[in-house]
Amino acid sequence: MISMLSVMAQALTDVDAANSTTTAVLTRTSEASNTATLANMVGGLIVVLALIFVLAYIVKRLNLVPSNAGVIKSLAVTPIGQREKVVLIEVNGQQYLLGVTSQQVSLIDKLDTQIDVPTTSFSSRLKQAKEQQ
């Protein structure tokens, strides 16, 4: 009877050892899975942030969103060369035609009659920018 009890005790300890080994393997697998999930999430966040910065740079570079919130409003810009452009601005209801280079800004003409510049939507400006390239 004592030998039978010792065999049963040995069998129970073997089962406990197997369970603890299985639990340790599952814990390591779970930790590896959590690490992989976190790495995927951080990688996705970095890609989204990079995409936001690239799109903001493109919008700023192509001047797709005009800023007309101040006293001086830029109505139209036409590039003439690499760094030269003609700019039509409005200050307090008066329109001015300016020549802008990398070195200076020159007044070409103070317009007596108002020039009506049609406003365009973002989608049409984007199509226009794509056609210019």
Side-chain angles (χ1 to χ4, degrees):
M1 178 108 149
I2 293 178
S3 65
M4 206 174 198
L5 285 175
S6 66
V7 169
M8 288 175 64
Q10 181 65 29
L12 286 176
T13 54
D14 288 344
V15 169
D16 287 340
N19 283 342
S20 66
T21 304
T22 305
T23 304
V25 168
L26 288 176
T27 303
R28 278 189 236 123
T29 304
S30 176
E31 289 173 3
S33 175
N34 288 342
T35 304
T37 302
L38 182 63
N40 283 339
M41 186 171 48
V42 169
L45 179 64
I46 290 171
V47 168
V48 168
L49 289 176
L51 183 65
I52 288 171
F53 283 115
V54 166
L55 290 176
Y57 174 76
I58 290 171
V59 167
K60 183 178 179 182
R61 183 76 178 149
L62 295 177
N63 197 19
L64 297 177
V65 181
S67 61
N68 292 333
V71 175
I72 300 174
K73 295 179 182 178
S74 174
L75 300 177
V77 178
T78 302
I80 295 176
Q82 285 284 342
R83 296 181 182 179
E84 298 84 18
K85 54 188 167 184
V86 175
V87 180
L88 177 64
I89 65 167
E90 181 177 321
V91 179
N92 291 331
Q94 181 63 46
Q95 291 183 346
Y96 298 95
L97 191 61
L98 304 175
V100 180
T101 66
S102 61
Q103 302 296 321
Q104 66 183 13
V105 176
S106 303
L107 177 65
I108 296 174
D109 193 17
K110 180 179 175 183
L111 303 176
D112 295 328
T113 59
Q114 298 278 329
I115 296 176
D116 185 28
V117 179
T119 58
T120 56
S121 67
F122 177 76
S123 62
S124 64
R125 296 281 307 253
L126 184 60
K127 286 178 188 175
Q128 179 185 17
K130 287 174 68 175
E131 290 172 359
Q132 288 178 353
Q133 293 180 351

